[in-house]
Amino acid sequence: MTPTARAADRLDPAVLKLAAVLVLGALAPLLDSTIVNVAIHTLGAQLQAGVATLQWVSTAYLLALAVVIPVTAWASTRFGAKRLWIVALALFLLGSVLSGLAWNAGALIAFRILQGVGAGLMLPTLQTLLMRAADREQLGRLMAVVTVPALVGPILGPAVGGLLVSHLGWRSIFYVNIPICLAAIALAIRVLPADEPAAVRRLDLTGLFLMSSGVAALLYGLTRTGPDGGFAHLDVLVPAIVGTALLIAYVARKPQQPLIDLNLFRTRSFAASTALLFLTGAALYGAMFLLPLFYQQARGASVVAAGLLLVPQGLGSLLARAAGGLSDRLGPRPVVLAGVTLTVIGTLPFAIPGTAYWVLAIGLVVRGAGLSAVNLSVMVGAFRDLRPEQIPDASSMTRIVQQLGGAVGAAALAVILQTWLAGHSPASAYAGSFAWAIAFTALAAVPALALPRRIRAA
C-alpha cells in the first residue's frame, strides 16, 4: 500500500474524537444492564419484594427502551441529533439518580422506566451521529471502535456489580452512572458538531402508536415464556398476537410521512443486514441466556465463578476488532460468513456433554470472535448503501430488529431448555439446547449471501 493509500486508510481524527465522546455516553446503559442483573437477588432482599415483582425491574426497563426507539428517527430530524443525544443522557442520568433513591420496588420500577426511555433514545441516536460523520469506506474500522462498550459491559459488568453490591450497597449500582453521564454530557456539548433541525417532519402519531405498542406487546409476551413455562399460555399468546397484529397494521399503512420509512428494505444490503441482525440477536442473546445457567446448573459453578468463566467470550470479541478493517476492504459478505462459521465452531463444545473446561474456554474465545466479526460487518452492510437522509430511520429499525431477535432467541431457547430438563439430565438438556443455538446461528449464512462483496481499490 502506498503512503497516500495508507493516509487515506486512517480514520479522521475528528471522527475518532466524536466516536470517543459517544462511546463514553453509551458505556452507561451498556454497563447498567449487566450490573443490575447481578444485583437482582440483593434488591429482592433489601426491598422485600418477590420474584414476580422483581422481574419488572428488568422488564420495565426493556419495554420502555423498546417503546421509544421508533420515535428517535423523527426526533433526531426534528430537533437535531446532538440535542437528542444530550437529552437522552440527561434522562438516563435522572433515572439513575432516582433509582438509587428508590424507597420500594414500585418506585424503583417507575424510575427504571425513565432510565429505559433515556437508553432507548440514546443508542439509535449514537448510530445516526456516527454514520453521518463517517466515510462510507471506513465504516468497519469505525464500528470496531464504537462497539467496544458492548464488549466491555459483559466482561466488567458482573464483576463491577458484585463489588459494588458487596461493599457499597445496592444503591451504588445506579449512582455509578452519575460521573459517566455528567462527563458525557459536558463533552457532548463541547465536541459534537451542531446540527440544525431539518425541515419540519410531521409526527406520524398513528404509526407511533402501532409500532411502539406492537414492539412492546411482542417483547412482553416473549419475556413471559420463561415464568410461564412455554408459549402456550395466555400471558404469552395474547400480547404476542396483539403485538404482531399491530406491527402488521403498521406495515399495511401507506402514510405520506411514515414514522419509519419501510422503503429502506428496497435496498438489498439493508434488507439482508436486518435479517442478519434478527438472527444474530437471537444467537447472541439466546446463548447468553444459556451460558451462565449452563455453568451453574450443569457444572455446579457459583454465580461469581460462572461470571469469570464467561470472560473468554469477551476476550474473543476484543480479538476480532480487525474484522472492521476487513469489512471495509473485502466487503461485509465474506467476513460475516467467516464469523458465522467461527460462532458455530465455538458453540459446538457446549453441545457435547462432559467437555473439559479448557476446551469450553477456547470455544468461548472462538465464539466471541465470530459473533463480534458478524455484528461489526452486519452494521457495515446495513448502512453502506443508504442515503444520508435515510440514516435516522435505519438506526431505529436496526435497533428494533436486534431487540426483537434477542427476545425471540432467549424465549425460544428458554422453552427448549425447560422441555429438555423435564426428561433429561442437566448435562444432556443443555447439550440439546446449545445444538438448537447452533442451528439458529447457521441460519444466518442464508441472508449473508445477499450482502455486498466489494473490494476497495488500493
Side-chain angles (χ1 to χ4, degrees), residues 74-289:
W74 173 84
S76 64
T77 303
R78 175 65 180 81
F79 301 109
K82 176 178 179 177
R83 291 182 180 88
L84 187 60
W85 174 255
I86 293 170
V87 168
L89 279 168
L91 287 173
F92 192 85
L93 171 61
L94 179 60
S96 298
V97 172
L98 293 175
S99 294
L101 296 172
W103 53 91
N104 59 32
L108 178 58
I109 291 167
F111 299 143
R112 286 282 286 166
I113 291 174
L114 185 58
Q115 270 192 310
V117 170
L121 292 172
M122 197 183 305
L123 299 178
T125 306
L126 178 149
Q127 286 182 194
T128 296
L129 284 163
L130 280 173
M131 297 304 168
R132 284 175 171 172
D135 183 335
R136 294 297 175 89
E137 299 301 328
Q138 295 184 327
L139 282 180
R141 273 155 293 171
L142 184 60
M143 291 304 296
V145 173
V146 301
T147 52
V148 168
L151 306 177
V152 170
I155 297 174
L156 296 182
V160 171
L163 289 171
L164 288 173
V165 172
S166 299
H167 296 286
L168 299 176
W170 68 267
R171 297 180 190 276
S172 64
I173 66 174
F174 299 108
Y175 294 150
V176 73
N177 295 321
I178 295 175
I180 298 175
C181 290
L182 288 175
I185 290 171
L187 288 171
I189 293 170
R190 291 186 57 189
V191 173
L192 297 190
D195 57 337
E196 292 302 319
V200 176
R201 177 181 174 184
R202 184 167 173 253
L203 178 59
D204 179 13
L205 291 173
T206 303
L208 177 61
F209 169 76
L210 291 173
M211 181 167 283
S212 292
S213 301
V215 171
L218 188 52
L219 284 176
Y220 174 73
L222 292 170
T223 62
R224 296 300 307 171
T225 55
D228 290 334
F231 291 99
H233 296 272
L234 288 178
D235 279 0
V236 177
L237 289 174
V238 171
I241 291 171
V242 170
T244 302
L246 290 170
L247 292 176
I248 291 172
Y250 179 87
V251 173
R253 294 173 68 247
K254 303 293 181 183
Q256 288 186 342
Q257 293 182 316
L259 181 72
I260 295 178
D261 188 3
L262 298 182
N263 285 324
L264 288 168
F265 290 97
R266 295 181 183 274
T267 303
R268 178 180 170 179
S269 57
F270 181 81
S273 296
T274 50
L276 265 168
L277 280 169
F278 183 88
L279 291 170
T280 54
L284 173 62
Y285 293 104
M288 285 303 290
F289 162 79

Side-chain angles (χ1 to χ4, degrees), residues 36-74:
V36 171
N37 289 339
V38 171
I40 287 293
H41 178 73
T42 302
L43 288 172
Q46 294 289 323
L47 299 175
Q48 298 180 340
V51 174
T53 301
L54 279 177
Q55 70 166 338
W56 280 99
V57 173
S58 297
T59 301
Y61 176 90
L62 172 66
L63 295 181
L65 184 149
V67 164
V68 300
I69 285 177
V71 81
T72 54
W74 173 84

Side-chain angles (χ1 to χ4, degrees), residues 21-48:
V21 172
L22 296 173
V23 163
L24 176 63
L27 190 61
L30 290 170
L31 264 178
D32 181 84
S33 57
T34 53
I35 289 175
V36 171
N37 289 339
V38 171
I40 287 293
H41 178 73
T42 302
L43 288 172
Q46 294 289 323
L47 299 175
Q48 298 180 340

Side-chain angles (χ1 to χ4, degrees), residues 220-452:
Y220 174 73
L222 292 170
T223 62
R224 296 300 307 171
T225 55
D228 290 334
F231 291 99
H233 296 272
L234 288 178
D235 279 0
V236 177
L237 289 174
V238 171
I241 291 171
V242 170
T244 302
L246 290 170
L247 292 176
I248 291 172
Y250 179 87
V251 173
R253 294 173 68 247
K254 303 293 181 183
Q256 288 186 342
Q257 293 182 316
L259 181 72
I260 295 178
D261 188 3
L262 298 182
N263 285 324
L264 288 168
F265 290 97
R266 295 181 183 274
T267 303
R268 178 180 170 179
S269 57
F270 181 81
S273 296
T274 50
L276 265 168
L277 280 169
F278 183 88
L279 291 170
T280 54
L284 173 62
Y285 293 104
M288 285 303 290
F289 162 79
L290 288 179
L291 284 167
L293 293 176
F294 163 77
Y295 279 117
Q296 292 173 61
Q297 294 184 0
R299 293 300 179 97
S302 66
V303 175
V304 175
L308 293 173
L309 288 166
L310 292 176
V311 168
Q313 181 167 254
L315 297 177
S317 298
L318 290 172
L319 293 175
R321 298 295 86 192
L326 290 175
S327 296
D328 291 335
R329 295 184 181 89
L330 304 176
R333 187 202 305 174
V335 181
V336 168
L337 291 172
V340 168
T341 302
L342 287 175
T343 305
V344 168
I345 292 171
T347 313
L348 277 173
F350 293 89
I352 303 171
T355 304
Y357 277 104
W358 68 270
V359 177
L360 296 176
I362 293 173
L364 282 176
V365 173
V366 174
R367 175 183 163 78
L371 275 173
S372 183
V374 171
N375 287 330
L376 281 172
S377 302
V378 168
M379 295 308 291
V380 173
F383 288 90
R384 195 165 187 167
D385 298 326
L386 298 180
R387 301 187 304 275
E389 66 270 18
Q390 293 177 304
I391 287 175
D393 283 357
S395 297
S396 293
M397 183 55 70
T398 53
R399 284 292 171 184
I400 291 169
V401 169
Q402 204 165 31
Q403 288 285 332
L404 289 175
V408 168
L413 288 177
V415 172
I416 290 168
L417 176 61
Q418 288 177 352
T419 303
W420 277 79
L421 284 171
H424 299 80
S425 67
S428 297
Y430 277 97
S433 300
F434 277 112
W436 277 96
I438 290 170
F440 293 159
T441 304
L443 278 175
V446 177
L449 296 173
L451 290 173

